[in-house]
Amino acid sequence: MSEIAPPVAALIEEFSKLPGIGVKSAQRLAFFVLRSPTDQARRLSEAILRVKESIIYCSRCFNITETDPCPICSDAQREQEIICVVEEPLDVLALERTSAYKGLYHVLHGALSPMNGIGRKDLRIDELLRRLEKESTREVILATNPGFEGDYTSGFLRNEMKNALHLPQLRITSLARGLPTGGALEYADEGTLSRALEGRREI
Amino acid sequence: MSEIAPPVAALIEEFSKLPGIGVKSAQRLAFFVLRSPTDQARRLSEAILRVKESIIYCSRCFNITETDPCPICSDAQREQEIICVVEEPLDVLALERTSAYKGLYHVLHGALSPMNGIGRKDLRIDELLRRLEKESTREVILATNPGFEGDYTSGFLRNEMKNALHLPQLRITSLARGLPTGGALEYADEGTLSRALEGRREI
């Protein structure tokens, strides 16, 4: 016998399939579970199953939800004519935390990435275009991540909306770029600083 | 609604209880599980439960096992008169991988650490002493980790065995200390290099 007990080996293997978890981390996690109270292990085990069983995608905005349409889409208090387009459900969470946005969302579930073979069919792009044809949207805020893939995706969406749809009155905006609050000018990278200069405002 | 769907929030919370997993990593893991095939999520969920349900500690060596005594303790081919004392079950695995050791083990489940409040009652030290009184052990190899706490634990065990037990013929050894295979002399720390000099051998 030169092997670890099979149930432990199986748990190590399953943990090491998670992103950012190597074999050593998976071993550490497995032994932690082994030593943790049974209740805690059971809660983790059940939380994993429950996420798979109860979470669906909203048929309107494609955010994750337990009910379709999701609580945001079915909230009549929210502005129905503004759609904020984000890459991931966590981006919705980040924007909701600001309490500064009262419109609706559209979750793409990723960004275009020719390098990684992620094209428009892999994202909820056509669903967004169909949605714009149906709903009376006044403004689309493109809130993809401020990096190469996010910017490429935003540019692509802008062109699609301008060219494929006949909605001349539709306003297309993107989030402001500049210095992050709490950041120091001397540590800002050139891209951020150029954008901050470019977008300077009268005070 | 400024909250994430409750099942996802629950999974993030459970993941963030694992060691080395912060809130951001827990979010990443939860969304990975959400997107992974149901089969894979179910295997992880079941592996967690199965570890808690089927793993016990060997009543002789305190290694983790599905059967008591464990496969190593019940293997008559192994040398019954040598016991290698290690801190953790993973150390057994590391030693077994070498195929260089054919004796038995004793797993302490930690090292003495006055700083962290870990004393002899928290480890399987008394179980080791009782075992030595009962079994006809010829040699105990102290294979704790080569650091402050491991060395302290080894020293403590050596004194306990010398003083508390009347086993004058018992050989007490520890693993050799020196340069690690594949390491470079110029990068070796002073402690390692001093030990390598001290333990030099005729060739």
Side-chain angles (χ1 to χ4, degrees):
Chain A
M1 134 97 187
S2 61
E3 286 304 320
I4 203 159
V8 180
L11 183 55
I12 292 171
E13 196 194 324
E14 294 304 326
F15 270 133
S16 65
K17 288 177 186 163
L18 298 176
I21 310 278
V23 173
K24 288 280 164 193
S25 303
Q27 287 180 344
R28 202 160 34 90
L29 294 179
F31 278 89
F32 179 85
V33 168
L34 193 59
R35 288 190 180 138
S36 62
T38 303
D39 266 8
Q40 188 181 334
R42 178 162 296 129
R43 275 198 304 275
L44 174 58
S45 169
E46 282 166 5
I48 291 167
L49 278 192
R50 198 152 69 91
V51 147
K52 295 303 292 183
E53 281 162 4
S54 67
I55 294 292
I56 52 174
Y57 296 102
C58 173
S59 59
R60 189 177 179 196
C61 75
F62 297 95
N63 195 3
I64 54 168
T65 174
E66 287 184 284
T67 54
D68 185 21
C70 73
I72 293 179
C73 283
S74 43
D75 181 352
Q77 303 285 306
R78 306 206 52 132
E79 288 186 61
Q80 303 289 314
E81 299 180 335
I82 307 185
I83 296 176
C84 180
V85 179
V86 296
E87 294 181 19
E88 301 290 349
L90 283 174
D91 301 332
V92 172
L93 197 63
L95 285 160
E96 286 296 289
R97 263 192 242 111
T98 67
S99 303
Y101 180 68
K102 297 292 174 205
L104 305 179
Y105 291 95
H106 190 89
V107 182
L108 296 172
H109 290 278
L112 291 171
S113 173
M115 296 261 287
N116 298 312
I118 296 173
R120 68 181 289 169
K121 293 286 167 233
D122 301 306
L123 307 179
R124 300 302 194 167
I125 290 177
D126 292 331
E127 287 86 346
L128 173 64
L129 299 177
R130 277 200 296 275
R131 192 176 160 189
L132 292 171
E133 279 173 342
K134 252 182 0 204
E135 302 182 16
S136 54
T137 309
R138 195 161 38 82
E139 178 176 354
V140 170
I141 305 172
L142 296 171
T144 51
N145 283 322
F148 176 73
E149 294 178 350
D151 289 349
Y152 177 68
T153 307
S154 267
F156 181 87
L157 288 176
R158 188 191 156 283
N159 290 342
E160 284 296 306
M161 288 189 281
K162 290 272 186 208
N163 302 334
L165 304 175
H166 302 287
L167 301 167
Q169 78 291 11
L170 180 68
R171 207 178 150 209
I172 301 173
T173 60
S174 71
L175 296 183
R177 298 281 273 274
L179 295 169
T181 303
L185 207 110
E186 66 175 307
Y187 297 126
D189 64 287
E190 293 155 44
T192 301
L193 216 45
S194 318
R195 295 295 201 114
L197 271 170
E198 209 177 288
R200 67 191 182 280
R201 294 163 66 170
E202 303 268 353
I203 53 166
Chain B
M1 134 95 189
S2 61
E3 286 305 320
I4 203 158
V8 180
L11 182 56
I12 291 172
E13 196 194 322
E14 294 305 325
F15 269 135
S16 65
K17 288 177 187 163
L18 298 176
I21 310 279
V23 172
K24 287 282 165 193
S25 302
Q27 288 181 345
R28 202 161 35 92
L29 294 179
F31 278 89
F32 179 85
V33 168
L34 193 59
R35 290 194 178 132
S36 62
T38 303
D39 266 9
Q40 188 181 333
R42 179 161 295 129
R43 275 199 303 274
L44 173 58
S45 170
E46 282 166 4
I48 291 167
L49 279 191
R50 198 152 69 92
V51 147
K52 294 303 292 183
E53 281 162 1
S54 66
I55 293 292
I56 52 175
Y57 296 101
C58 173
S59 59
R60 188 177 180 196
C61 75
F62 297 94
N63 195 5
I64 55 169
T65 173
E66 286 184 284
T67 54
D68 184 20
C70 74
I72 294 179
C73 283
S74 43
D75 182 351
Q77 303 285 307
R78 306 207 51 134
E79 288 186 60
Q80 303 289 315
E81 300 181 334
I82 308 185
I83 296 177
C84 180
V85 179
V86 295
E87 293 180 20
E88 301 290 348
L90 282 174
D91 301 332
V92 172
L93 197 63
L95 285 160
E96 285 296 289
R97 263 191 244 111
T98 67
S99 303
Y101 180 67
K102 296 293 175 207
L104 305 178
Y105 292 95
H106 191 89
V107 182
L108 296 172
H109 290 279
L112 291 172
S113 174
M115 297 263 287
N116 297 312
I118 296 172
R120 70 181 287 171
K121 292 287 167 232
D122 302 306
L123 308 179
R124 300 303 194 167
I125 290 177
D126 292 331
E127 287 85 346
L128 173 65
L129 298 177
R130 277 201 295 275
R131 192 176 160 189
L132 292 172
E133 279 173 342
K134 250 179 6 203
E135 301 182 16
S136 53
T137 308
R138 193 160 40 80
E139 179 176 355
V140 170
I141 305 173
L142 296 171
T144 52
N145 284 323
F148 176 74
E149 294 177 351
D151 289 348
Y152 177 68
T153 307
S154 268
F156 180 87
L157 288 175
R158 188 191 157 280
N159 290 343
E160 284 295 309
M161 288 189 281
K162 290 272 184 207
N163 301 334
L165 304 174
H166 301 286
L167 301 167
Q169 80 291 11
L170 181 67
R171 206 177 152 212
I172 302 173
T173 58
S174 70
L175 295 183
R177 299 280 272 273
L179 295 169
T181 303
L185 207 110
E186 67 176 305
Y187 297 125
D189 64 285
E190 292 155 44
T192 301
L193 215 45
S194 319
R195 296 295 201 112
L197 271 169
E198 209 178 289
R200 67 191 183 278
R201 293 164 65 171
E202 303 267 356
I203 54 168

